[in-house]
Amino acid sequence: MAFDFPFVKEALTQMFKKSSCEEYPFKPKEAFPNYRGRIVFHGDRCIKCGLCEKVCAGGAIHNVLISEDEEKEVYERTFDLTSCTFCSYCSDFCSKSAIELTGDFHMTGTKHEDLLVKGQYTKVKKKPVAKAAPAAKAESCDNKAE
Amino acid sequence: MFDNLINKSAAKSPWLFHINAGSCNGCDIELVAVLTPRYDAERLGFRLAGTPRHADIVVVTGPLTAQIKDRVLRTIEQVPEPRCIVTMGSCPASGNVFKDGYTYAGPLSKYVDVDVDIAGCAAKPETVLEGLYQAAMILEQKRKDMKNKGGQI
């Protein structure tokens, strides 16, 4: 053919096709299921077992005692997202499901405070149980021995 | 005569320079994913520069090891003002799991003023795009401030 320009047909068809790029900044996008993003802490479910701090490889979890009285202690737990590896060990090991890794991936900040997740939880102090009299204990032991 | 035109165009097209400061390569791959056709940051004006002297935004990945600390700081010094420094991933911002290691010399904010932190391990390309957009906004503001002070951009 006289007018056999290379790629003309391809170029013309591609001009009217949808772009193969992600349309992210112009259209909102959701993360894939089970994506591990920004941490959400439910302070009301926490029982302060401290397991999440122990399993955290990056040392991202810190506790600060805010207030204390005779009945309870109030703590603030901070998750530093700049130290986090998003391995989800803290949420996996939490028996009360107090820590949740959501699909929110908008994790940028101009200050360090923008990337801190904070939550408060209370620990109720146990009242000391009255001990049984030592004499009674000794008696019971003697009975068993007999 | 063309100064205004050049300034407006430069604000819309910041050039990136990428420094690997001991990264595990996870963040580097994500940054490459941002610049290549799937996410294509070039359609938004971001372009990878070959030398720090051409760059506006410096993207640092990795926890800043003792070996590379001086090189990174020297490279950042070569980037002309106004510049914007972006830490990508958890490592340059805090050290992440390497923070107790004997070769760790960071965080980067100890030595230079960091403008934007991008969290994630490794950071998702959408998050990187968002961070770069914030950096571009900061850069535009810095450009204006510098011009108001009478400096030549």
Side-chain angles (χ1 to χ4, degrees), chain A residues 61-78:
Chain A
I61 306 171
H62 296 288
N63 288 316
V64 180
L65 181 66
I66 298 176
S67 65
E68 186 181 8
D69 57 22
E70 289 176 358
E71 288 180 351
K72 61 183 180 182
E73 293 169 343
V74 181
Y75 289 87
E76 186 177 59
R77 175 164 287 158
T78 309

Side-chain angles (χ1 to χ4, degrees), chain A residues 19-91:
Chain A
S19 169
S20 57
C21 290
E22 292 277 329
E23 296 172 327
Y24 166 63
F26 310 110
K27 283 187 181 175
K29 193 184 174 185
E30 281 189 12
F32 292 108
N34 297 332
Y35 177 75
R36 303 191 294 266
R38 186 180 281 272
I39 294 172
V40 172
F41 176 57
H42 305 285
D44 51 332
R45 296 184 202 161
C46 181
I47 53 170
K48 203 194 174 299
C49 61
L51 208 54
C52 49
E53 287 167 67
K54 280 177 190 165
V55 295
C56 185
I61 306 171
H62 296 288
N63 288 316
V64 180
L65 181 66
I66 298 176
S67 65
E68 186 181 8
D69 57 22
E70 289 176 358
E71 288 180 351
K72 61 183 180 182
E73 293 169 343
V74 181
Y75 289 87
E76 186 177 59
R77 175 164 287 158
T78 309
F79 295 84
D80 186 358
L81 295 185
T82 60
S83 278
C84 184
T85 50
F86 301 92
C87 60
S88 96
Y89 261 33
C90 52
S91 104

Side-chain angles (χ1 to χ4, degrees), chain B residues 31-153:
Chain B
L31 188 65
V32 170
V34 168
L35 295 165
T36 43
R38 174 87 191 264
Y39 288 93
D40 207 9
E42 278 194 29
R43 77 198 144 125
L44 308 170
F46 299 103
R47 190 179 178 282
L48 199 64
T51 156
R53 286 158 204 265
H54 295 166
D56 299 305
I57 297 175
V58 191
V59 183
V60 183
T61 57
L64 203 71
T65 56
Q67 280 274 352
I68 212 163
K69 189 196 85 187
D70 295 337
R71 277 100 175 164
V72 167
L73 297 181
R74 199 169 71 193
T75 313
I76 287 174
E77 274 170 17
Q78 287 178 11
V79 179
E81 290 278 358
R83 65 178 171 226
C84 192
I85 298 168
V86 178
T87 63
M88 183 179 164
S90 297
C91 293
S94 71
N96 205 351
V97 289
F98 307 110
K99 63 164 77 87
D100 298 326
Y102 64 95
T103 54
Y104 173 62
L108 188 69
S109 52
K110 209 159 90 180
Y111 307 103
V112 287
D113 291 333
V114 175
D115 295 297
V116 181
D117 286 322
I118 301 172
C121 186
K124 200 170 162 66
E126 283 91 349
T127 320
V128 180
L129 276 177
E130 209 169 281
L132 290 179
Y133 174 74
Q134 274 189 14
M137 291 291 111
I138 290 171
L139 196 67
E140 202 178 341
Q141 191 59 43
K142 278 187 179 179
R143 227 178 261 278
K144 276 180 192 168
D145 293 346
M146 211 164 157
K147 202 180 174 188
N148 291 339
K149 280 181 187 171
Q152 194 181 1
I153 299 166

Side-chain angles (χ1 to χ4, degrees), chain A residues 108-135:
Chain A
T108 55
T110 49
K111 289 171 287 180
H112 188 234
E113 286 75 30
D114 296 344
L115 294 168
L116 296 179
V117 175
K118 289 181 180 177
Q120 290 186 0
Y121 63 94
T122 52
K123 184 193 176 190
V124 181
K125 282 184 180 174
K126 282 181 186 173
K127 286 175 186 173
V129 183
K131 285 179 183 173

